[in-house]
Amino acid sequence: MRRLAFSLMAISVAGLSLAACEPSGSSSAPHADRLRIVAGYLVPWDARSTAALDQDALGRDALTEVSPTWYRPDEAGQIVFASLQAQQSLASLETKAAAQGLTLMPSIVNYRDGRWDGALIHHLLTEPQARKAHIAAIVALVESHVWAGIDLDYESLASADREAYSAFIRDLGASLHKARKQLSVTAHAKTSEPGNWSGARAEDWRALGESADEIRIMAYDHANDETPPGPIAPISWVERVLQLAITEIPGDKIMLGVGAYGYDWKDDSMGEALQWADAEAIAQDHAAVIQWDAESQAPWFAYSDTQGRKHTVWYENARSMKAKLDLARQSSIAGVFIWRLGGEDPAIWDELRQAV
């Protein structure tokens, strides 16, 4: 799963093509080999991210949609700012997005006190008054702005909440659609239903796909800060995730998540998240040779710090992103989203321009 830090955060398998797995009757992008949407998350706690929409920034004309991680829910079902930085960034990011003609879909996340709070969402799903208040608060928030809609990034839910979460998304989607607004739902990656851990099991992709306008699948963090070193999004795993997605969700609603980040693992310690720019700087500072892993389609390198501790870094760059974009284009899905903007490999934009 993705770790935030608001206080600081043609290929086939076994001969089966991705296109062949698409359910009959599902829609696809206008051109089968082109992506319709390229979305990017903006995180207020990193100045590089809040500056990503500056007019003088490197050209990002392939970008169509942005989701600032501004909000989280409280126990009463109301929506509050996730951080002071989020509140302070709202007006300027709204202005920049509007000036560049970008669709704005702010994100509400259940990350608080340094963790993904699944118990909070369980309360909002199962306590009738809080549930009603939460739907009303989300709709009122979206209606009070000129946004296209809202993104819901509720992670690490209990598997027992699967039906309640699907029903909540159904009712929220209906309320937003009545207000002529859109709903995006961010989902954990998995390669089979219901999934192999509680957060994934809580998300019924078929039910969510019937209610939301976008299903954003986080096809990254295969290796993460709590695992041993390894590729963030090995290409064979991403393909299996996509194969499941296109059998469960209409193609014109699927958004494949692509990472622009990585982790630095020190000895036996937990990994530390970093962006492409950070990884490249570390490699340069330590004269590390960047390797390319052909099997996972990802870059990595190793180095020793000044205290003699060994580090391993796996991350994502333009070359690794291209492999994912090729899969996305082949499968005729709606598009991709980037976690996250700010500090990404500038060369990804050339790859994205060729994909849209």
Side-chain angles (χ1 to χ4, degrees), residues 153-185:
D153 185 7
Y154 289 173
E155 302 188 23
S156 297
L157 307 186
S159 57
D161 287 333
R162 181 179 173 98
E163 291 187 12
Y165 186 56
S166 295
F168 173 79
I169 294 300
R170 180 197 64 215
D171 293 348
L172 175 61
S175 295
L176 285 168
H177 293 154
K178 186 176 180 180
R180 298 188 177 182
K181 300 291 185 177
Q182 298 176 27
L183 174 61
S184 165
V185 174

Side-chain angles (χ1 to χ4, degrees), residues 279-280 282-283 288-291 299-303 311-315:
E280 291 285 315
I282 290 171
V289 178
I290 298 174
Q291 309 286 336
W300 71 279
F301 62 89
Y303 72 97
H311 293 244
T312 304
V313 177
W314 286 83
Y315 64 114

